Amino acid sequence: TISASYVSILKPDGNPLGANAYVGTAGGFVDTRTLPVAGSYTIVVDPQGAATGSMTATLYDVPADAAGTIAPGAATTMGVTTPGQNARFTFDGQAGQRVSLKLSSGTISTSSVSILKPDGSALGANAYVGTTGGFVDARTLPTAGSYTILVDPQGAAIGSMAVTLYNVPADAGGPIAAGGPSITATMATPGQNGRLTFDGKAGQRISVKLSSVTISSSYLSILKPDGSALGRNTYVGTSGGFVDTRTLPAAGSYTVLIDPQGAATGSMTATLYEVPADAGGTITAGGSAVTIATTTPGQNARITFEGQTAQRVSLKLSAATISSSLVSILKPDGSALGSPAYAGGSGGFVDTRTLPTTGTYTILVDPQGA
């Protein structure tokens, strides 16, 4: 019931054994500390300011960390029974070997999981794991030796956790060509990605359709020749996805990167399109209907008309074979005149809009997805 305290452990000589711990009304925990000598130790509870109240302390004799070995492919379960006890799984690794970890069947409320190199330092950041499990994505071992998977329950948590160690093969994939056949990449091991490479030219426009997806959740990126991302990544679920038209900034080798999330595995078919210039044409207010067609996923259509200040126009959209589109009117400066309108296979309508200035306006038809 003390609003704020600091708790310290003092050695027999009166010096602190490690840093003190802050404790509020929600309680707290002092993680495992090793006593350096035999003698009388003291736990000091120091309420802060004018705080008063009570606190219950439980002192644990912490056994050695639970320890065992782990081999790739099979889940190994280990439990910790005392607050402050950790678990350590060791395995022999080779330089350049890629490994990932699946963490499941956990009853520990919250843990931090790390991979330790043979010298004891961490191989990358640790991972937070709750009772729903977690995943440590592929990491490359820098040297041969004995590695350790350290499971560190947080606070006074205890329980068990199943750990599966995977040997992650090279990323799946191969070459893909814009306008060429579809390529299927299969990621059979948790942590394995897909990489499809293609040669691109400066100014070339491309789009990507993802279909026949059995991976539950992925992100797809296009990487430029220098390895940086060309635009944002795209989420892809089992219903597939689409990366809309992107313009390549330079000639070189580009990569379509498929990154399954968590321990997801499966396959995905990618189709790379070379997107031609947007379909164009002109239209006159009060004149005849104009039909436009897009032939490649990612291609838009732009129809221009001359408008006058205060002129009022509307648009009827009909005879549509595009399953789903957004239709906008762009002002002469390229900004939108109002919100876009949705048009499906049954067509659509853009209600009356007043033109703010004289100039050339554009009707932009943007098919959605592929």
Side-chain angles (χ1 to χ4, degrees):
T1 63
I2 306 171
S3 59
S5 303
Y6 281 103
V7 175
S8 307
I9 300 175
L10 303 183
K11 295 183 287 188
D13 63 6
N15 290 317
L17 178 63
N20 56 16
Y22 175 81
V23 181
T25 53
F29 184 70
V30 179
D31 212 347
T32 302
R33 297 185 183 174
T34 301
L35 309 186
V37 296
S40 179
Y41 288 77
T42 302
I43 299 169
V44 178
V45 179
D46 179 10
Q48 298 300 285
T52 61
S54 62
M55 180 186 298
T56 299
T58 305
L59 180 66
Y60 298 98
D61 194 354
V62 182
D65 288 346
T69 58
I70 189 169
T76 300
T77 300
M78 195 175 295
V80 293
T81 57
T82 304
Q85 185 184 27
N86 295 336
R88 295 173 180 267
F89 303 77
T90 59
F91 66 94
D92 290 328
Q94 303 299 317
Q97 181 181 353
R98 302 204 310 162
V99 300
S100 64
L101 299 177
K102 181 180 178 182
L103 311 157
S104 57
S105 304
T107 62
I108 305 171
S109 58
T110 174
S111 300
S112 174
V113 177
S114 309
I115 299 176
L116 305 182
K117 295 183 284 189
D119 64 5
S121 62
L123 178 63
N126 56 10
Y128 170 84
V129 182
T131 53
T132 56
F135 184 71
V136 178
D137 213 344
R139 296 185 183 176
T140 301
L141 308 186
T143 184
S146 179
Y147 288 77
T148 300
I149 300 166
L150 173 63
V151 179
D152 180 8
Q154 301 298 284
I158 58 173
S160 62
M161 180 185 297
V163 178
T164 307
L165 175 69
Y166 297 98
N167 270 328
V168 181
D171 288 343
I176 190 171
S182 301
I183 301 296
T184 299
T186 300
M187 285 65 77
T189 303
Q192 185 182 26
N193 293 337
R195 291 178 182 267
L196 305 173
T197 59
F198 66 95
D199 290 327
K201 303 179 183 67
Q204 183 179 2
R205 305 203 314 161
I206 56 96
S207 64
V208 185
K209 178 182 177 182
L210 297 318
S211 59
S212 302
V213 181
T214 63
I215 306 168
S216 58
S217 174
S218 301
Y219 280 101
L220 185 138
S221 307
I222 298 175
L223 305 182
K224 295 183 285 188
D226 64 4
S228 62
L230 178 63
R232 296 182 178 179
N233 56 16
T234 300
Y235 176 80
V236 182
T238 52
S239 58
F242 183 70
V243 179
D244 211 345
T245 301
R246 296 186 184 174
T247 302
L248 307 186
S253 180
Y254 288 78
T255 301
V256 179
L257 174 64
I258 302 166
D259 182 9
Q261 298 300 284
T265 60
S267 62
M268 181 184 299
T269 297
T271 307
L272 180 66
Y273 299 99
E274 181 162 9
V275 181
D278 289 346
T282 59
I283 193 169
T284 302
S288 301
V290 172
T291 299
I292 55 92
T294 61
T295 58
T296 304
Q299 184 184 27
N300 295 336
R302 295 173 183 267
I303 307 170
T304 60
F305 67 93
E306 299 301 321
Q308 305 298 318
T309 302
Q311 181 180 357
R312 305 204 313 159
V313 299
S314 62
L315 298 177
K316 179 182 178 182
L317 310 160
S318 58
T321 63
I322 304 171
S323 59
S324 174
S325 300
L326 291 178
V327 178
S328 306
I329 299 176
L330 306 182
K331 295 182 285 187
D333 64 3
S335 61
L337 178 63
S339 300
Y342 176 80
S346 58
F349 184 70
V350 179
D351 210 346
T352 302
R353 295 186 183 176
T354 301
L355 307 186
T357 185
T358 297
T360 300
Y361 288 76
T362 301
I363 300 166
L364 172 64
V365 179
D366 180 8
Q368 298 300 285

